[in-house]
């Protein structure tokens, strides 16, 4: 029986979610605020999470980002009264698997959750990433280039994984900021430059063909030479 965590601060909506899912045979726990929900989600005890976007004490983007950073790779169905396209994109890029705008039909929520669970069960788990002679082991969380181990800090690992998963694509500063740090981009910060600079010095050493490229006026890209 799949175990589901519903993180929703509205009591009426939370009780409706629990009742609907229990009717379909799911084992459901309900958390009514962001910090409690985050702690439960990071426990790794659940098969899927239904996550409200706007929550007290910790919002939905922070929770799903923390989950993905901790390698909690379960389906996340995000729900929100914020229905515009930009908000949906932010939720999906932060690590959500699907996004439903409120109000929604309980039957549709259950159907979408069942689809996400089937897809995750059928998908083979990716164990590693490779671009040119750069390899990233997603299980041991280690990196090697040309056979030489590269020691990465946790944020550097997340940044490299994101760039390798999107190799060959131009990644804007906003995309990187929201994927790694999970909150709205502040154009005045140099956080991205600092971390990319450190990562570059580890990945693209003297004598090696550079993989990380700055696309002037657009962002960054990781490309095979």
């Amino acid at each position: 029986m799949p175990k589901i965590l519903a993180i929703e601060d509205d009591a009426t909506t939370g009780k409706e979610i629990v009742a609907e899912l229990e009717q379909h045979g799911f084992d459901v726990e309900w958390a009514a605020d962001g910090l409690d929900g985050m702690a439960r989600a990071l426990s790794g005890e659940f098969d899927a999470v239904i996550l409200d976007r706007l929550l007290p004490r910790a919002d939905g983007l922070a929770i799903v980002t923390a989950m993905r950073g901790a390698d909690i790779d379960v389906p996340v169905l995000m729900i929100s009264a914020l229905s515009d396209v930009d908000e949906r994109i932010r939720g999906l890029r932060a690590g959500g698997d699907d996004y439903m705008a409120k109000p929604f039909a309980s039957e549709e929520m259950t159907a979408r959750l069942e689809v996400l669970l089937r897809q995750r069960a059928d998908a083979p788990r990716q164990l590693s990433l490779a671009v040119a002679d750069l390899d990233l082991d997603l299980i041991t969380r280690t990196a090697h280039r040309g056979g030489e181990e590269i020691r990465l800090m946790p944020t550097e690992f997340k940044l490299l994984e994101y760039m390798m998963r999107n190799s060959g694509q131009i990644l804007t500063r906003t995309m990187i900021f929201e994927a790694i740090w999970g909150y709205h981009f502040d154009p005045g910060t140099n956080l991205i430059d600092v971390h990319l600079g450190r990562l570059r010095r580890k990945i693209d050493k003297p004598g090696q063909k550079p993989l990380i490229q700055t696309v002037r006026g657009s962002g960054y890209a990781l490309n095979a030479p």
Side-chain angles (χ1 to χ4, degrees), residues 191-204:
L191 193 61
I192 292 175
D193 305 286
V194 170
H195 281 85
L196 266 171
R198 290 174 181 168
L199 186 60
R200 254 196 178 116
R201 289 191 289 273
K202 294 181 178 183
I203 299 300
D204 296 331

Side-chain angles (χ1 to χ4, degrees), residues 83-98:
S83 59
D84 60 271
V85 173
D86 287 343
E87 282 299 331
R88 295 188 186 195
I89 291 173
R90 290 185 70 194
L92 295 172
R93 282 181 173 158
D97 295 280
D98 198 359

Side-chain angles (χ1 to χ4, degrees), residues 128-137 142-147 160 164:
S128 63
L129 299 170
V131 176
D133 59 346
L134 175 64
D135 297 292
L136 194 67
D137 190 313
T142 56
H144 293 80
R145 183 167 186 193
L160 182 58
M164 291 182 73

Side-chain angles (χ1 to χ4, degrees), residues 171-224:
L171 305 174
T172 67
R173 294 168 63 85
T174 300
M175 291 168 64
I176 294 172
F177 201 95
E178 293 185 352
I180 305 304
W181 287 276
Y183 50 92
H184 188 66
F185 174 63
D186 177 3
T189 184
N190 67 343
L191 193 61
I192 292 175
D193 305 286
V194 170
H195 281 85
L196 266 171
R198 290 174 181 168
L199 186 60
R200 254 196 178 116
R201 289 191 289 273
K202 294 181 178 183
I203 299 300
D204 296 331
K205 293 184 177 179
Q208 294 178 317
K209 293 183 178 180
L211 298 179
I212 299 176
Q213 300 171 5
T214 300
V215 182
R216 190 175 300 276
S218 298
Y220 301 90
L222 190 145
N223 295 313

Side-chain angles (χ1 to χ4, degrees), residues 7-9 31-38 55-58 63:
I7 310 176
E8 166 62 64
D9 63 318
D33 75 78
L35 283 184
D36 180 30
M38 182 182 292
L55 294 162
R57 302 210 293 165
I63 293 172

Side-chain angles (χ1 to χ4, degrees), residues 42-62:
L42 293 177
S43 71
E45 299 176 0
F46 298 91
D47 299 299
V49 175
I50 296 175
L51 177 61
D52 190 14
R53 169 68 176 81
L54 299 176
L55 294 162
R57 302 210 293 165
D59 74 5
L61 290 183

Side-chain angles (χ1 to χ4, degrees), residues 13 16-18 20-21 50 77 79 100 104-115:
T13 304
E16 288 176 354
I17 291 172
V18 172
E20 169 69 18
L21 293 180
I50 296 175
L77 172 58
I79 57 176
M100 293 186 70
F104 54 82
S106 297
E107 295 85 355
E108 181 183 0
M109 175 202 67
T110 302
R112 290 198 187 198
L113 182 63
E114 289 171 343
V115 168

